[in-house]
Amino acid sequence: MAFTVTSNSFKDGDYLRSDFILSADFGFGCAGGNKSPHLRWSGAPEGTKSFAVTCYDPDAPTGSGFWHWLVVNIPANASELAEGAGSANGKLPAGALQTRTDFGAPGYGGPCPPEGDHPHRYLFTVFAVKADKLDVKAETSAAVVGFNLHFNTLAKAAVMGLFKR
C-alpha cells in the first residue's frame, strides 16, 4: 500500500478557498481566513514512529521558496489533522510541535503571492518519520527542520493547492 495524503478541504491541483488564504492581520494584502486545511494520510511504511507536515511554496520570489507551515513530532497513531489545526486556537495531536515558518513564528500562515504573479503551488507534504521526536524547538528554522527530516524520513506524500491573486 502506497503512502498517500488527501484533503477534505481541497482536491489535489485545485485552487484553495479564501478560508485557507493569509488574513489581513499579516499585512501582505490578502484577506483570507488563515485556516490550515484538513489533511489525512494512510499507508505509512513499517517503522514509522511519528509524522511531520509542511506547507511550502516553491514559486515564491525569494530564491529559496517560502515555508508556510511546519509541524513535527505528530504521534504515529495520528492519521489526520483537522481543518484549522495549525491556527492559533487549533487542535493538534498531543506532542505535536509547530516550528518557525518564513513569517517568523510557529503556526500556519496561508498563501498570499504577489498580486498579478502567476499561480503559486502550495505543497502540503506529510513525512513518515523513523524517529519518535525530532530534536527541534518552536523557534527552529525551516531549513534546520528540513535537514532533520532529510535524515529521518521513511516516505513522504504531498497534495498540492494553487492560489493566485
Side-chain angles (χ1 to χ4, degrees):
M1 179 176 186
F3 187 45
T4 60
V5 59
T6 60
S7 176
N8 292 343
S9 301
F10 67 98
K11 300 252 184 281
D12 187 37
D14 279 356
Y15 279 82
L16 297 167
R17 296 190 327 258
S18 66
D19 288 352
F20 311 113
I21 305 311
L22 193 68
S23 68
D25 301 338
F26 285 81
F28 283 84
C30 288
N34 203 49
K35 185 177 4 172
S36 59
H38 166 267
L39 297 171
R40 177 182 294 119
W41 54 91
S42 62
E46 191 173 323
T48 299
K49 294 185 178 175
S50 67
F51 295 99
V53 170
T54 64
C55 176
Y56 176 70
D57 172 6
D59 303 312
T62 62
S64 60
F66 199 93
W67 291 97
H68 287 263
W69 194 28
L70 299 103
V71 187
V72 298
N73 304 341
I74 300 168
N77 64 354
S79 60
E80 67 183 315
L81 293 180
E83 199 170 278
S87 305
N89 298 324
K91 191 160 175 99
L92 290 168
L97 173 70
Q98 295 187 96
T99 64
R100 193 175 84 214
T101 68
D102 284 340
F103 289 108
Y108 178 79
C112 187
E115 201 161 357
D117 207 1
H118 59 87
H120 283 216
R121 297 168 291 162
Y122 297 88
L123 304 172
F124 292 86
T125 305
V126 179
F127 297 80
V129 180
K130 66 182 178 181
D132 290 320
K133 293 180 92 173
L134 295 182
D135 188 19
V136 298
K137 298 175 177 40
E139 62 273 8
T140 300
S141 72
V144 173
V145 171
F147 179 85
N148 279 271
L149 284 171
H150 177 79
F151 291 103
N152 288 286
T153 296
L154 296 170
K156 61 184 179 177
V159 61
M160 180 188 67
L162 298 170
F163 188 65
K164 172 184 172 44
R165 63 182 187 121

mmCIF file of all heavy atoms in Angstrom, residues 127-131 134 143-155:
data_model
loop_
_atom_site.group_PDB
_atom_site.id
_atom_site.type_symbol
_atom_site.label_atom_id
_atom_site.label_comp_id
_atom_site.label_asym_id
_atom_site.label_seq_id
_atom_site.Cartn_x
_atom_site.Cartn_y
_atom_site.Cartn_z
ATOM 1 N N PHE A 127 5.299 13.654 6.055
ATOM 2 C CA PHE A 127 6.505 12.829 6.144
ATOM 3 C C PHE A 127 6.280 11.718 7.158
ATOM 4 O O PHE A 127 5.843 11.995 8.283
ATOM 5 C CB PHE A 127 7.700 13.670 6.627
ATOM 6 C CG PHE A 127 8.081 14.788 5.703
ATOM 7 C CD1 PHE A 127 7.373 15.986 5.708
ATOM 8 C CD2 PHE A 127 9.161 14.663 4.843
ATOM 9 C CE1 PHE A 127 7.732 17.032 4.875
ATOM 10 C CE2 PHE A 127 9.525 15.702 4.005
ATOM 11 C CZ PHE A 127 8.800 16.883 4.015
ATOM 12 N N ALA A 128 6.576 10.477 6.790
ATOM 13 C CA ALA A 128 6.617 9.356 7.722
ATOM 14 C C ALA A 128 8.044 9.340 8.281
ATOM 15 O O ALA A 128 9.012 9.193 7.536
ATOM 16 C CB ALA A 128 6.290 8.055 7.016
ATOM 17 N N VAL A 129 8.164 9.532 9.587
ATOM 18 C CA VAL A 129 9.469 9.756 10.223
ATOM 19 C C VAL A 129 9.865 8.534 11.055
ATOM 20 O O VAL A 129 9.034 7.965 11.776
ATOM 21 C CB VAL A 129 9.404 11.027 11.103
ATOM 22 C CG1 VAL A 129 10.738 11.298 11.791
ATOM 23 C CG2 VAL A 129 8.966 12.234 10.270
ATOM 24 N N LYS A 130 11.152 8.161 10.976
ATOM 25 C CA LYS A 130 11.629 6.977 11.697
ATOM 26 C C LYS A 130 12.039 7.270 13.141
ATOM 27 O O LYS A 130 12.455 6.366 13.850
ATOM 28 C CB LYS A 130 12.768 6.308 10.935
ATOM 29 C CG LYS A 130 14.032 7.135 10.829
ATOM 30 C CD LYS A 130 15.074 6.387 10.018
ATOM 31 C CE LYS A 130 16.332 7.196 9.845
ATOM 32 N NZ LYS A 130 17.334 6.494 9.033
ATOM 33 N N ALA A 131 11.898 8.523 13.582
ATOM 34 C CA ALA A 131 12.217 8.908 14.962
ATOM 35 C C ALA A 131 10.928 9.292 15.689
ATOM 36 O O ALA A 131 10.016 9.854 15.085
ATOM 37 C CB ALA A 131 13.183 10.085 14.974
ATOM 38 N N LEU A 134 11.756 14.682 16.565
ATOM 39 C CA LEU A 134 12.913 15.388 16.017
ATOM 40 C C LEU A 134 13.410 16.344 17.095
ATOM 41 O O LEU A 134 12.608 16.932 17.833
ATOM 42 C CB LEU A 134 12.521 16.163 14.760
ATOM 43 C CG LEU A 134 12.079 15.331 13.574
ATOM 44 C CD1 LEU A 134 11.759 16.238 12.389
ATOM 45 C CD2 LEU A 134 13.122 14.300 13.182
ATOM 46 N N ALA A 143 14.795 25.526 7.577
ATOM 47 C CA ALA A 143 15.960 24.845 6.988
ATOM 48 C C ALA A 143 16.484 23.756 7.916
ATOM 49 O O ALA A 143 16.821 22.656 7.469
ATOM 50 C CB ALA A 143 17.064 25.851 6.674
ATOM 51 N N VAL A 144 16.538 24.028 9.212
ATOM 52 C CA VAL A 144 17.027 23.030 10.167
ATOM 53 C C VAL A 144 16.010 21.904 10.327
ATOM 54 O O VAL A 144 16.383 20.732 10.422
ATOM 55 C CB VAL A 144 17.387 23.691 11.516
ATOM 56 C CG1 VAL A 144 17.721 22.652 12.573
ATOM 57 C CG2 VAL A 144 18.567 24.648 11.327
ATOM 58 N N VAL A 145 14.725 22.228 10.329
ATOM 59 C CA VAL A 145 13.698 21.181 10.360
ATOM 60 C C VAL A 145 13.847 20.302 9.118
ATOM 61 O O VAL A 145 13.848 19.074 9.204
ATOM 62 C CB VAL A 145 12.280 21.784 10.451
ATOM 63 C CG1 VAL A 145 11.218 20.693 10.255
ATOM 64 C CG2 VAL A 145 12.074 22.482 11.790
ATOM 65 N N GLY A 146 14.011 20.926 7.947
ATOM 66 C CA GLY A 146 14.199 20.178 6.713
ATOM 67 C C GLY A 146 15.425 19.285 6.747
ATOM 68 O O GLY A 146 15.396 18.153 6.257
ATOM 69 N N PHE A 147 16.515 19.779 7.337
ATOM 70 C CA PHE A 147 17.738 18.990 7.492
ATOM 71 C C PHE A 147 17.448 17.735 8.321
ATOM 72 O O PHE A 147 17.829 16.627 7.949
ATOM 73 C CB PHE A 147 18.815 19.849 8.161
ATOM 74 C CG PHE A 147 20.116 19.145 8.396
ATOM 75 C CD1 PHE A 147 21.073 19.080 7.397
ATOM 76 C CD2 PHE A 147 20.391 18.565 9.623
ATOM 77 C CE1 PHE A 147 22.286 18.433 7.617
ATOM 78 C CE2 PHE A 147 21.599 17.919 9.850
ATOM 79 C CZ PHE A 147 22.539 17.848 8.841
ATOM 80 N N ASN A 148 16.755 17.916 9.440
ATOM 81 C CA ASN A 148 16.392 16.776 10.293
ATOM 82 C C ASN A 148 15.474 15.802 9.564
ATOM 83 O O ASN A 148 15.626 14.588 9.687
ATOM 84 C CB ASN A 148 15.726 17.272 11.582
ATOM 85 C CG ASN A 148 16.726 17.726 12.610
ATOM 86 O OD1 ASN A 148 17.181 16.937 13.418
ATOM 87 N ND2 ASN A 148 17.078 18.993 12.578
ATOM 88 N N LEU A 149 14.515 16.334 8.823
ATOM 89 C CA LEU A 149 13.612 15.458 8.078
ATOM 90 C C LEU A 149 14.359 14.671 7.000
ATOM 91 O O LEU A 149 14.069 13.497 6.769
ATOM 92 C CB LEU A 149 12.475 16.263 7.444
ATOM 93 C CG LEU A 149 11.372 16.706 8.402
ATOM 94 C CD1 LEU A 149 10.423 17.671 7.708
ATOM 95 C CD2 LEU A 149 10.633 15.496 8.958
ATOM 96 N N HIS A 150 15.324 15.296 6.355
ATOM 97 C CA HIS A 150 16.096 14.637 5.297
ATOM 98 C C HIS A 150 16.701 13.315 5.791
ATOM 99 O O HIS A 150 16.704 12.320 5.070
ATOM 100 C CB HIS A 150 17.191 15.567 4.786
ATOM 101 C CG HIS A 150 18.055 14.944 3.751
ATOM 102 N ND1 HIS A 150 17.669 14.822 2.427
ATOM 103 C CD2 HIS A 150 19.281 14.365 3.835
ATOM 104 C CE1 HIS A 150 18.630 14.212 1.753
ATOM 105 N NE2 HIS A 150 19.609 13.928 2.587
ATOM 106 N N PHE A 151 17.193 13.320 7.014
ATOM 107 C CA PHE A 151 17.885 12.142 7.538
ATOM 108 C C PHE A 151 16.970 11.192 8.308
ATOM 109 O O PHE A 151 17.421 10.138 8.755
ATOM 110 C CB PHE A 151 19.065 12.568 8.417
ATOM 111 C CG PHE A 151 20.165 13.191 7.613
ATOM 112 C CD1 PHE A 151 20.334 14.572 7.609
ATOM 113 C CD2 PHE A 151 20.997 12.417 6.821
ATOM 114 C CE1 PHE A 151 21.338 15.162 6.841
ATOM 115 C CE2 PHE A 151 22.001 13.004 6.051
ATOM 116 C CZ PHE A 151 22.168 14.374 6.065
ATOM 117 N N ASN A 152 15.698 11.544 8.473
ATOM 118 C CA ASN A 152 14.792 10.722 9.275
ATOM 119 C C ASN A 152 13.510 10.318 8.553
ATOM 120 O O ASN A 152 12.621 9.746 9.170
ATOM 121 C CB ASN A 152 14.428 11.457 10.567
ATOM 122 C CG ASN A 152 15.591 11.488 11.532
ATOM 123 O OD1 ASN A 152 15.916 10.473 12.143
ATOM 124 N ND2 ASN A 152 16.239 12.633 11.659
ATOM 125 N N THR A 153 13.390 10.610 7.266
ATOM 126 C CA THR A 153 12.162 10.326 6.531
ATOM 127 C C THR A 153 12.198 8.948 5.891
ATOM 128 O O THR A 153 13.131 8.623 5.155
ATOM 129 C CB THR A 153 11.926 11.405 5.458
ATOM 130 O OG1 THR A 153 11.724 12.659 6.108
ATOM 131 C CG2 THR A 153 10.704 11.087 4.613
ATOM 132 N N LEU A 154 11.147 8.168 6.166
ATOM 133 C CA LEU A 154 10.979 6.858 5.532
ATOM 134 C C LEU A 154 10.211 6.989 4.220
ATOM 135 O O LEU A 154 10.460 6.254 3.266
ATOM 136 C CB LEU A 154 10.214 5.920 6.474
ATOM 137 C CG LEU A 154 10.905 5.570 7.785
ATOM 138 C CD1 LEU A 154 9.936 4.852 8.724
ATOM 139 C CD2 LEU A 154 12.137 4.720 7.518
ATOM 140 N N ALA A 155 9.230 7.888 4.189
ATOM 141 C CA ALA A 155 8.411 8.108 2.994
ATOM 142 C C ALA A 155 7.755 9.473 3.132
ATOM 143 O O ALA A 155 7.650 10.019 4.241
ATOM 144 C CB ALA A 155 7.350 7.027 2.854
#
